[in-house]
Structures are given as structure tokens and as C-alpha cells.
């Protein structure tokens, strides 16, 4: 018990001593001493202290030999403390201030990396993801031979996958809503919205590994749309659904939904055959 109390007292005294030391450094007019203390704090992983000091030093150190390093270190300290939004802005500030600077290439990369680290899950708004893609693309255009090129490209692929998943979730939601018209306007239809969303995703992301998922939704939506159509549109839509099913089987012959496609084809043929027959009978009369 005594040892615990002594340890606690020692910790408090040490913290108080460190806090006093930091306050003295923060208030000093010796810029070089303050800067060296900020560097030491950064090296020791005390990023919040480093940030406080560096923010206070950026303007006074402008035009000195430490100006570039100070601004870049501030950005890295913000990044390491997980203030990704602040880090992104500071890296941008460094790059715009020193486009040919010592850390220009790294700063340009970390603009994208900071945005990448702050991107949300696919269900949420993906504005940050789009911004990160733009930043990495700009980096690759500016530094095509960079040692960070492969990392940037991998980040791009991961970010694009997130956008594809967002589209897939939207398409799946439309399909799940099915015949519910409460959210439709101007005579729209959830199955049609699912088809359009999925087709656009396939066009925008031709190399996605989720292509089959979109193809399944298109196939199922076209069949459901045919079933629920008014009579004058049914024949055309059943034929369209049948063609979609054949196309799906040709492209994904080993798909787990192949049996579904075959079942749809049988039902489509049944309808088209009956209507072709009744149409022929009607023409005789």
C-alpha cells in the first residue's frame, strides 16, 4: 500500500515537473531552444507538445533554414496524433509554400494519405474518399517515378473499392425496396433504379471484383420488373430479362446464381410462349 502511494506521489511530481518545464519552453523567446525541444518531443512521440510548439514557431521561423522542416514536422505530428484533417491541410500548406522543397514529394503523398486515413465506411458519405483519390492521382501525375508510387496506387485501388461498395449498397437497397413506391418520384421504380445504379457502376468501375454482384442484381431486377409490369409492357420486359439471364450465364458460368438464372429463363419462356401463341390466335380472328 505504501509503495503504491509513493509511486503515485512520484508520478504526480514528475508530471508537474514536466509540465513546468514545457511551460517554460513554451514561453521562452529563444526560438532555437524551443525548436529543438519541439523536435525532441516529436522524436519521443509526444506529438501534442510538439504540435503546440511548432504551431507557435511556423511564422517566426519563416525565411530561416529551419522553416521547411518546422512546417513539415508540424504536419507529421498532426498525422501521428491522428488529426488527419489538420494534417492534410498542413501538408497542403507545405507543398504550396515549398513546391520544390526538401519534403515536397512526401508532403504531396501525405495529403492523400491523411485523407485516406479519415475516409468513412462505405455506407456513409464518400466525399472524403473522392478527395483522397484526387490527391493520390495528383501525386502520381506529379511524381510518376516516386518510391511511394506502389503505395499510392494500392491506396487508389482501396479507395475505388470503397466507392464501388457504396454503389453496391445503394443498388442492393433499391432491390430490397422492390415494389415499395413511397420513395419513388415521377413514376420511377426501385427495380429500374437498381438496374441503372448497377449498370453505371459496371461502366465506371470495369475492373471491380464486385462485377458479378452487380450483374446478379441487374438480372434479378429485370425479372422482377417484368413480373410486376402492366400487361402491355410484360412481353418486352420478359424477353429482356431472358436475354439478361443468358448473358449472365455466359459471363459467369460457375456462379452460385446460375440455377436462379436458369429458373428465370424457364419462366420467361413460359410467358413469351403463351403470349406468342395467344397473339397468333388473335391474328387469325
Amino acid at each position: 500500500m505504501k509503495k503504491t502511494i509513493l509511486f503515485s506521489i512520484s508520478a504526480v511530481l514528475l508530471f508537474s515537473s514536466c509540465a513546468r518545464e514545457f511551460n517554460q519552453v513554451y514561453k521562452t523567446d529563444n526560438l532555437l531552444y524551443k525548436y529543438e525541444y519541439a523536435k525532441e518531443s516529436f522524436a519521443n512521440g509526444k506529438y501534442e507538445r510538439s504540435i503546440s510548439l511548432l504551431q507557435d514557431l511556423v511564422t517566426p521561423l519563416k525565411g530561416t533554414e529551419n522553416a521547411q522542416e518546422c512546417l513539415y514536422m508540424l504536419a507529421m505530428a498532426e498525422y501521428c496524433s491522428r488529426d488527419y484533417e489538420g494534417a492534410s491541410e498542413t501538408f497542403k500548406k507545405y507543398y504550396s509554400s515549398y513546391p520544390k522543397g526538401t519534403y515536397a514529394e512526401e508532403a504531396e503523398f501525405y495529403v492523400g494519405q491523411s485523407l485516406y486515413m479519415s475516409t468513412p465506411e462505405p455506407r456513409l458519405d464518400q466525399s472524403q474518399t473522392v478527395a483522397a483519390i484526387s490527391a493520390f492521382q495528383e501525386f502520381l501525375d506529379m511524381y510518376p517515378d516516386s518510391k511511394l508510387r506502389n503505395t499510392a496506387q494500392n491506396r487508389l485501388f482501396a479507395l475505388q473499392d470503397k466507392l464501388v461498395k457504396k454503389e453496391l449498397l445503394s443498388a442492393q437497397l433499391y432491390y430490397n425496396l422492390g415494389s415499395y413506391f413511397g420513395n419513388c418520384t415521377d413514376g420511377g421504380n426501385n427495380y429500374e433504379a437498381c438496374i441503372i445504379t448497377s449498370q453505371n457502376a459496371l461502366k465506371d468501375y470495369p475492373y471491380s471484383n464486385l462485377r458479378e454482384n452487380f450483374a446478379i442484381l441487374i438480372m434479378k431486377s429485370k425479372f422482377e420488373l417484368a413480373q410486376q409490369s402492366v400487361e402491355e409492357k410484360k412481353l418486352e420486359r420478359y424477353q429482356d430479362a431472358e436475354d439478361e439471364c443468358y448473358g449472365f450465364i455466359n459471363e459467369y458460368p460457375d456462379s452460385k446464381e446460375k440455377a436462379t438464372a436458369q429458373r428465370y429463363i424457364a419462366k420467361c419462356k413460359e410467358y413469351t410462349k403463351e403470349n406468342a401463341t395467344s397473339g397468333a390466335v388473335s391474328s387469325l380472328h
Side-chain angles (χ1 to χ4, degrees), residues 23-64:
N23 286 332
Q24 288 173 353
V25 173
Y26 186 79
K27 292 176 182 178
T28 185
D29 293 328
N30 189 330
L31 297 183
L32 182 59
Y33 178 63
K34 184 185 286 191
Y35 183 60
E36 290 301 323
Y37 192 93
K39 288 174 68 175
E40 183 181 350
S41 297
F42 179 86
N44 291 328
K46 297 177 180 178
Y47 302 118
E48 296 300 330
R49 288 190 174 191
S50 183
I51 290 168
S52 297
L53 295 172
L54 292 169
Q55 285 176 335
D56 203 43
L57 286 166
V58 167
T59 300
L61 289 181
K62 272 186 179 179
T64 71

Side-chain angles (χ1 to χ4, degrees), residues 33-250:
Y33 178 63
K34 184 185 286 191
Y35 183 60
E36 290 301 323
Y37 192 93
K39 288 174 68 175
E40 183 181 350
S41 297
F42 179 86
N44 291 328
K46 297 177 180 178
Y47 302 118
E48 296 300 330
R49 288 190 174 191
S50 183
I51 290 168
S52 297
L53 295 172
L54 292 169
Q55 285 176 335
D56 203 43
L57 286 166
V58 167
T59 300
L61 289 181
K62 272 186 179 179
T64 71
E65 61 180 10
N66 294 321
Q68 285 194 49
E69 186 182 55
C70 178
L71 187 55
Y72 181 73
M73 194 186 310
L74 172 59
M76 285 303 303
E78 289 171 335
Y79 178 82
C80 292
S81 67
R82 300 183 181 181
D83 177 11
Y84 299 121
E85 185 176 348
S88 176
E89 291 304 314
T90 308
F91 282 121
K92 285 180 186 177
K93 183 178 179 181
Y94 175 93
Y95 191 80
S96 62
S97 301
Y98 310 104
K100 302 294 184 181
T102 306
Y103 309 102
E105 182 179 326
E106 289 82 356
E108 182 77 354
F109 171 83
Y110 272 100
V111 171
Q113 178 66 15
S114 299
L115 292 168
Y116 171 81
M117 294 299 292
S118 62
T119 54
E121 63 173 296
R123 293 179 184 277
L124 303 177
D125 178 71
Q126 294 300 306
S127 300
Q128 200 83 331
T129 303
V130 174
I133 288 174
S134 178
F136 277 126
Q137 192 59 63
E138 189 174 326
F139 169 77
L140 289 169
D141 292 341
M142 189 67 67
Y143 301 100
D145 301 318
S146 172
K147 61 185 178 183
L148 295 168
R149 176 182 175 81
N150 288 340
T151 303
Q153 286 180 325
N154 289 335
R155 293 286 188 268
L156 268 178
F157 296 148
L159 290 165
Q160 287 173 346
D161 283 346
K162 189 170 284 193
L163 292 183
V164 176
K165 287 176 184 175
K166 172 74 171 177
E167 293 303 304
L168 182 61
L169 288 170
S170 297
Q172 185 67 61
L173 177 60
Y174 283 127
Y175 180 78
N176 291 343
L177 286 170
S179 57
Y180 172 68
F181 288 96
N183 66 311
C184 297
T185 57
D186 300 325
N189 180 286
N190 290 309
Y191 290 122
E192 287 177 320
C194 177
I195 292 166
I196 292 169
T197 300
S198 298
Q199 288 174 337
N200 286 339
L202 289 173
K203 180 181 177 182
D204 293 339
Y205 309 102
Y207 304 109
S208 170
N209 57 5
L210 295 176
R211 287 184 61 83
E212 183 180 342
N213 300 68
F214 286 111
I216 290 169
L217 286 173
I218 293 170
M219 175 182 70
K220 289 184 174 181
S221 293
K222 285 192 173 184
F223 180 76
E224 294 295 340
L225 189 61
Q227 284 197 309
Q228 297 181 23
S229 293
V230 293
E231 199 60 41
E232 58 265 27
K233 291 185 178 181
K234 274 193 173 183
L235 181 59
E236 179 185 350
R237 287 181 170 173
Y238 268 116
Q239 290 171 335
D240 186 31
E242 184 178 344
D243 290 341
E244 190 69 38
C245 290
Y246 276 121
F248 177 81
I249 291 173
N250 288 335

